[in-house]
Amino acid sequence: LLVGKSAVFGDGSISTYNANGSYSYVAANNRHYTGKYTVSKGKVCLAIDGGERRCDTVASDAHGMFLVNAAGEPLRFTLQPPIVLQNVTTLCGVPMAYNVYPPPDYLPADVKAFSGTWIGKWDYGMCGAMIVESIKASGVASVIYVNGEFPLHSYKAGAMRFLALISGGTLTDGGKGSSFEAVMSEQNSLAVRRIGGPGAGTARLTRR
């Protein structure tokens, strides 16, 4: 039943089991992994590009199919036709898969301008990228932040999601422990500032 389908898990992550045996996993933070899979004797075994190997047991109950991982945890999902995200690319050395949804026409131009993919560097040299996936009528945006590896400060490459508010040509996350602010300084350029927490500093991001 999994072959040729996508499984969407409770956290929003997506596993796609292509009919040719190739495998794609888009994590909840939209980090993208690829590999191969096999289905045999009630198990789905994965060989992820880069070395990771794992096998999950396929089970079912009154609520439908689910997977059980090596720790005995049930991983529930819903099956859908294969899901293909429009952007499959590498940002700051991190493989990513995501969609960018056109903002509503009635939003102010200075709000719509933030939509898209932005990439650049922090003042201390680390690569940084920001994906503004969608913007609601209220100005609330769904954002993915990506950072590259930076051994000098022991930063590992990664990605994270957050909600931001766009108003007056500025995007802010309103975080309690740190503050992330991006100002539209030019049409295709953002001046970014992060106060508090790891990676504090300033950056210049340009539209990709």
Side-chain angles (χ1 to χ4, degrees):
L1 291 175
L2 291 173
V3 178
K5 302 287 182 63
S6 287
V8 181
F9 296 91
D11 63 354
S13 59
I14 304 168
S15 288
T16 300
Y17 306 89
N18 296 305
N20 63 0
S22 63
Y23 172 78
S24 171
Y25 178 67
V26 181
N29 62 3
N30 286 80
R31 189 160 181 169
H32 187 220
Y33 301 85
T34 57
K36 301 286 185 182
Y37 78 96
T38 57
V39 180
S40 178
K41 297 180 180 180
K43 289 185 178 291
V44 179
C45 293
L46 307 176
I48 305 299
D49 295 338
E52 183 182 352
R53 301 290 186 271
R54 62 177 288 179
C55 289
D56 298 325
T57 301
V58 181
S60 64
D61 58 16
H63 302 288
M65 291 180 62
F66 60 95
L67 300 177
V68 181
N69 64 18
E73 300 169 329
L75 307 172
R76 295 197 174 272
F77 59 85
T78 57
L79 281 180
Q80 297 188 18
I83 296 172
V84 179
L85 299 179
Q86 63 182 238
N87 297 292
V88 178
T89 187
T90 298
L91 299 173
C92 297
V94 181
M96 300 292 294
Y98 59 94
N99 288 332
V100 173
Y101 302 97
D105 290 337
Y106 52 76
L107 284 175
D110 63 348
V111 174
K112 293 191 292 184
F114 280 87
S115 177
T117 305
W118 305 82
I119 189 167
K121 284 190 176 182
W122 290 91
D123 51 9
Y124 50 85
M126 184 177 73
C127 180
M130 185 175 72
I131 304 162
V132 181
E133 277 192 311
S134 62
I135 308 172
K136 295 182 179 180
S138 60
V140 173
S142 176
V143 180
I144 304 169
Y145 170 72
V146 184
N147 68 272
E149 183 176 350
F150 197 64
L152 184 62
H153 289 178
S154 300
Y155 296 151
K156 294 183 178 180
M160 62 173 286
R161 282 185 159 279
F162 65 91
L163 292 177
L165 178 64
I166 303 174
S167 178
T170 302
L171 178 151
T172 55
D173 74 343
K176 295 180 180 179
S178 62
S179 174
F180 186 96
E181 178 185 85
V183 177
M184 186 75 66
S185 55
E186 299 175 17
Q187 183 177 2
N188 293 305
S189 180
L190 296 177
V192 180
R193 180 177 63 168
R194 183 171 182 176
I195 303 171
T202 62
R204 176 74 57 179
L205 305 183
T206 57
R207 188 183 299 277
R208 178 166 175 172

